[in-house]
Amino acid sequence: MAKNAAQQIVLDDELDELIDGLRQPEMMISPKYFYDERGSQLFDEITRLPEYYPTETELGIMQDNIDEIASLVGRQASLIEFGSGSSLKTRILLDHLDELAAYVPVDISEDHLLQSAQQIREEFPDLDVLPVVADFTQPFRLPTPRVMPVRNVVYFPGSTIGNFTNDGAQELLAVMHGEAGADGALLIGVDLQKDPAIIEAAYNDSAGVTAEFNLNMLRHLNREFGADFDVDAFTHSAEYNEDEGRIEIRLVSEQDQEFTVGSQSFSIGKDEAILTEYSHKYTLDGFAAMAETAGFRVKRVWTDAGRLFSVQYLVRD
Ligand code: TRP
């Protein structure tokens, strides 16, 4: 596909970043490359797998506690979603929150954001939907709704916080604290530490969808950056690291091999790996301590009967 000059510059920067990751002591590739069209479809499939408990569990927690959630959020709030907001969980909130001043989805991927914002407008014609194209890991300017919000409530579902390093998560919470403003709050999905067998099964499903999702990243890079990964010579690995409290997802090389990305060639030995994602799991105390460092106090925690997952309402001190 022919690229215009601006697109080419973005690609060059991304290529530099990609090469930089592969030059680290442990090779790594940013998880953002999971999500080409096929990757997004596969992730959608993951959320419906019997072993992948987070999506369904979080949804259940939202449904079971929506009245209490709505009363904590209060009337005429502005709901600021970090992410493009295409999930069923967002719709449950929009259905139940009282006289929302605005719904502000924030995402870096403009096409996807505007498409899902349009979808939300059609489903909620009276709602002031104000999408913001931004990298939400950095402070950004909020739009001004038609109606003055009573408070800002940041929404961050899916335990996506767990995909950041601890430092990254801490910084992101600080950005959320800033965007929430005085009297603001954060409603966040947080996956919990539990029997590692349950966690590992969630990322090693028996149908092999997660493996396919992980490997698809290499196909994406071959297509987008003219890389030449031999996709069949890598295997999916997801292991729970108990010391760090996180699942670590890698692509393991099945043989000594070489590959090129841009003009650079790399060699990787048999059983060596490329790190593609972390997914941190938290204790309630551990998460509260992290939130506190960012200036949030945990006001309410909802969990499921099996204590697999939590939804938490944090307020600014
Ligand atoms: N945010 C999801 C999670 O950490 C992403 C995810 C689910 C994922 N399954 C995966 C990422 C498999 C990489 C590989 O649970």
Side-chain angles (χ1 to χ4, degrees):
M1 199 189 354
K3 308 258 189 304
N4 69 32
Q7 284 169 328
Q8 193 56 53
I9 290 167
V10 171
L11 268 184
D12 289 347
D13 283 355
E14 295 208 327
L15 186 58
D16 288 347
E17 188 194 79
L18 191 59
I19 287 170
D20 190 57
L22 292 167
R23 285 195 183 134
Q24 298 303 307
E26 174 169 24
M27 289 186 177
M28 54 177 122
I29 302 177
S30 165
K32 68 184 171 195
Y33 296 113
F34 283 134
Y35 302 99
D36 62 356
E37 204 179 322
R38 170 131 177 86
S40 300
Q41 278 169 7
L42 286 165
F43 184 68
D44 213 57
E45 256 183 78
I46 288 175
T47 66
R48 285 182 266 112
L49 291 168
E51 297 97 333
Y52 192 73
Y53 63 86
T55 310
E56 207 183 60
T57 310
E58 183 176 23
L59 184 61
I61 296 169
M62 296 292 289
Q63 282 167 331
D64 289 350
N65 300 286
I66 191 62
D67 292 340
E68 196 188 350
I69 293 171
S71 91
L72 280 169
V73 169
R75 57 180 284 282
Q76 219 173 292
S78 175
L79 187 71
I80 302 159
E81 180 159 355
F82 277 42
S84 65
S86 42
S87 81
L88 194 49
K89 291 162 270 189
T90 301
R91 285 171 168 75
I92 293 175
L93 275 177
L94 296 179
D95 262 332
H96 288 85
L97 297 183
D98 201 16
E99 303 169 51
L100 267 186
Y103 171 61
V104 182
V106 185
D107 203 283
I108 189 129
S109 149
E110 180 164 12
D111 292 353
H112 186 69
L113 175 71
L114 298 184
Q115 250 177 42
S116 59
Q118 194 46 40
Q119 186 74 41
I120 297 278
R121 278 193 193 103
E122 283 164 25
E123 287 172 50
F124 300 87
D126 297 331
L127 184 62
D128 200 3
V129 181
L130 302 168
V132 173
V133 181
D135 167 6
F136 60 58
T137 64
Q138 305 297 321
F140 54 90
R141 257 189 84 121
L142 287 171
T144 309
R146 292 191 297 257
V147 171
M148 176 76 173
V150 169
R151 68 168 56 82
N152 292 334
V153 177
V154 172
Y155 184 47
F156 198 42
S159 202
T160 306
I161 190 80
N163 299 129
F164 291 78
T165 60
N166 286 327
D167 286 352
Q170 196 75 62
E171 284 165 27
L172 181 57
L173 287 167
V175 172
M176 291 171 166
H177 186 266
E179 301 299 337
D183 276 335
L186 167 60
L187 181 65
I188 185 168
V190 178
D191 199 5
L192 300 178
Q193 293 186 7
K194 61 184 73 65
D195 179 356
I198 297 177
I199 302 176
E200 287 192 342
Y203 296 86
N204 288 290
D205 64 281
S206 54
V209 181
T210 306
E212 194 48 38
F213 175 69
N214 198 8
L215 288 162
N216 180 66
M217 176 187 269
L218 299 180
R219 289 196 191 93
H220 181 188
L221 296 176
N222 285 350
R223 194 183 60 240
E224 192 77 12
F225 293 96
D228 66 352
F229 289 103
D230 179 358
V231 180
D232 295 330
F234 287 88
T235 47
H236 165 71
S237 154
E239 287 179 0
Y240 189 65
N241 178 334
E242 289 209 45
D243 293 336
E244 301 288 346
R246 68 186 177 210
I247 192 100
E248 300 178 347
I249 294 153
R250 295 186 170 84
L251 290 162
V252 181
S253 177
E254 289 190 335
Q255 60 201 48
D256 293 346
Q257 55 179 322
E258 309 214 327
F259 57 85
T260 59
V261 179
S263 54
Q264 305 288 317
S265 37
F266 297 89
S267 47
I268 187 167
K270 180 172 163 36
D271 298 330
E272 284 179 0
I274 305 173
L275 178 69
T276 57
E277 179 139 274
Y278 289 142
S279 186
H280 290 80
K281 311 300 170 188
Y282 302 92
T283 61
L284 293 180
D285 287 349
F287 189 76
M290 194 161 84
E292 198 174 312
T293 307
F296 280 114
R297 177 169 59 83
V298 178
K299 182 158 181 179
R300 185 76 170 93
V301 175
W302 300 273
T303 60
D304 54 296
R307 289 202 149 227
L308 297 175
F309 198 95
S310 68
V311 174
Q312 310 198 12
Y313 192 79
L314 280 53
V315 294
R316 285 182 41 138
D317 281 320

